[in-house]
Amino acid sequence: MNISQISVKHPPRVAMLLIVLLVFGLISVFNMNIEFMSDISLPTIEVLTFYPGSGAKEIEKDITNILEKEFITLPNFSSISSSSTNFVSWITITFRDGIDPDEMLEEVRYRIRNLTDSLPLDLSNDPVAVVGNASMLPVFTFSISGGQDITELSEFVENNIVPNITKIKGVGEVSVMGSREKEVRVQLRVEDLYTQKISAIEVMQAIQNSNVLLPLQTTNYHGKETILQFDGRVDSITSLKDIIVGINASGSLVTLNEVADVSIELQKPNMYIDGKQTAAIVVDISKRKDGNTIEIANDIKTFLQGPLFSPSSPYSIEVISDDSATVKASLFTVIRSGLFGMLMATVVMLFFLADIRATLTIALSIPLSILFTLIGMKLFNISINIMSLSGMVIALGMVVDASIVMLEHIIKEYDEHPEEDVDTIIIRGAKVVSSPILASTTTTIAVFVPLSLLTGIVGSILRDVSLTIILSLCASF
């Protein structure tokens, strides 16, 4: 018994299948990720190292070459490229297609830690490894201003805004720009250093060696094993000023306060951000690869309208950029084009078939094919984006081809044998054209299969289009 016989002889089963298709199609829509474009970046990790005061040759020899020799042995390694300039080493590690760079990030960082002893000691920071892809770009940016001063505003952002936004589902990273915190500043007095016969290097080493927490040994205290520690950490300005930095010519101990001015001041800003003639801070939010841009933006807006920013709050918020608006507008344009295409296809069918019932019967296959396609997109982890929706729009005309051929032949059979049973005519007519329809649909699908298997950036762009067309054509049969 073929599909046509089942459809004709068991209409309740077909109706149940259509209901199941409708339910699962709607479930797929509401649980799929929505974004402007699918991730089209290569699986790469960027490693940046800053070495102040060094030239490009020193960077290449002392940092880049050492790191490259270690990275080429990474699992699933594909290629590596680097750039060594004054003060900066930039290495890009590319992995094989299909590898999640987030899973390789910890391995890269582990290997960097193992190379610490091989790298120069006076690096400004350890090499920084980050995943390099389009999801690093912010999807939502806003500024915040208000409060008594920039220090209070910075503390409010770090303690209240950043933790709450980080908890939002799909958020990858929250970056803060323009904040300023207090720091302890030690300004050496050159004349006093010369008088006390102490060098600046000795002062730096004394501060580093004094601000430590060292384990000593374990001991038993009231029947319990306790670890003894030497706590030499600096916890106040006074204790910092009292650190012994050396011995002068007369043999007296010299404290830091005798050769330097110690104070608590604001950090020197690396950028200035002003909002409405007051200091402001800008917050950038980027999403994870599986993050939903629209849901993230809606959750952030809900938080920014919460009790922390009530009318009585001293802080004011201004949204700078919101990618969800662009995503909504773009998707709406494609959906509108698709609906207009469905209408035009229906009008064209009505013009040639000259039968409203037949036209509506064939037109019904379009939404059913879309529902089937959405279920397939969910299974293949394809998001709703410009490319996938474009694939469905392209396939709109194709999905009705089989229905037109099938219905036209059944009508022809009915006109030639009006005395026969309708069910028999439908089964016979469907049986005659099933093989040609299958061959036609299969050959069209075969064209798009190689496109769906392409690798690299081109493959990432064309994958969603080709797969949605394939799914739509499968549904049409």
Side-chain angles (χ1 to χ4, degrees), residues 29-286:
V29 171
F30 290 111
N31 288 277
M32 289 174 65
N33 188 18
I34 302 176
E35 55 189 353
F36 181 74
M37 283 282 291
S38 60
D39 185 25
I40 59 174
S41 56
L42 294 174
T44 60
I45 292 180
E46 312 287 344
V47 180
L48 284 82
T49 310
F50 299 95
Y51 191 10
S54 60
K57 291 185 178 180
E58 289 76 12
I59 291 285
E60 178 77 20
K61 177 183 177 182
D62 298 336
I63 298 176
T64 305
N65 290 342
I66 295 175
L67 293 175
E68 281 184 334
K69 289 179 181 178
E70 181 67 24
F71 291 153
I72 59 176
T73 61
L74 285 167
N76 300 308
F77 171 84
S78 176
S79 62
I80 191 169
S81 60
S82 62
S83 173
S84 299
T85 59
N86 294 338
F87 315 146
V88 180
S89 168
W90 189 325
I91 300 175
T92 301
I93 311 168
T94 304
F95 297 94
R96 295 173 185 168
D97 289 326
I99 301 299
D100 186 356
D102 290 301
E103 296 179 358
M104 301 301 302
L105 186 59
E106 186 56 38
E107 175 68 19
V108 173
R109 290 174 175 171
Y110 172 75
R111 298 201 177 200
I112 291 174
R113 289 194 295 268
N114 288 343
L115 290 174
T116 302
D117 294 338
S118 302
L119 299 175
L121 298 176
D122 50 346
L123 292 176
S124 60
N125 290 294
D126 291 334
V128 178
V130 295
V131 175
N133 53 42
S135 62
M136 295 174 62
L137 300 175
V139 297
F140 196 93
T141 303
F142 67 91
S143 64
I144 177 173
S145 58
Q148 296 180 357
D149 53 38
I150 188 63
T151 304
E152 179 190 343
L153 182 61
S154 300
E155 292 178 356
F156 177 79
V157 171
E158 291 294 336
N159 298 331
N160 296 279
I161 294 182
V162 173
N164 283 286
I165 293 182
T166 304
K167 296 177 184 177
I168 294 176
K169 181 181 178 181
V171 171
E173 184 179 1
V174 180
S175 302
V176 179
M177 296 180 293
S179 63
R180 297 179 65 186
E181 299 177 354
K182 291 182 178 180
E183 65 179 6
V184 177
R185 188 169 299 171
V186 178
Q187 185 70 38
L188 297 177
R189 299 191 295 268
V190 179
E191 297 82 2
D192 292 338
L193 286 174
Y194 180 78
T195 303
Q196 301 289 352
K197 304 299 181 182
I198 296 175
S199 67
I201 299 263
E202 290 176 304
V203 175
M204 182 186 70
Q205 292 175 342
I207 295 175
Q208 291 176 341
N209 296 333
S210 299
N211 189 31
V212 293
L213 177 65
L214 299 175
L216 299 178
Q217 63 180 19
T218 58
T219 184
N220 289 322
Y221 181 74
H222 292 293
K224 295 183 178 180
E225 189 175 89
T226 304
I227 299 177
L228 298 180
Q229 294 177 323
F230 168 75
D231 191 354
R233 291 175 295 184
V234 176
D235 56 3
S236 66
I237 289 292
T238 302
S239 59
L240 179 61
K241 292 180 178 179
D242 293 338
I243 289 178
I244 306 298
V245 296
I247 302 176
N248 58 21
S250 61
S252 302
L253 299 177
V254 179
T255 63
L256 179 61
N257 191 41
E258 297 179 64
V259 295
D261 296 321
V262 183
S263 60
I264 298 179
E265 300 179 17
L266 287 175
Q267 291 178 338
K268 292 183 178 179
N270 51 14
M271 66 176 67
Y272 291 92
I273 300 175
D274 291 329
K276 298 179 181 179
Q277 298 181 347
T278 60
I281 292 176
V282 172
V283 181
D284 285 334
I285 299 97
S286 58

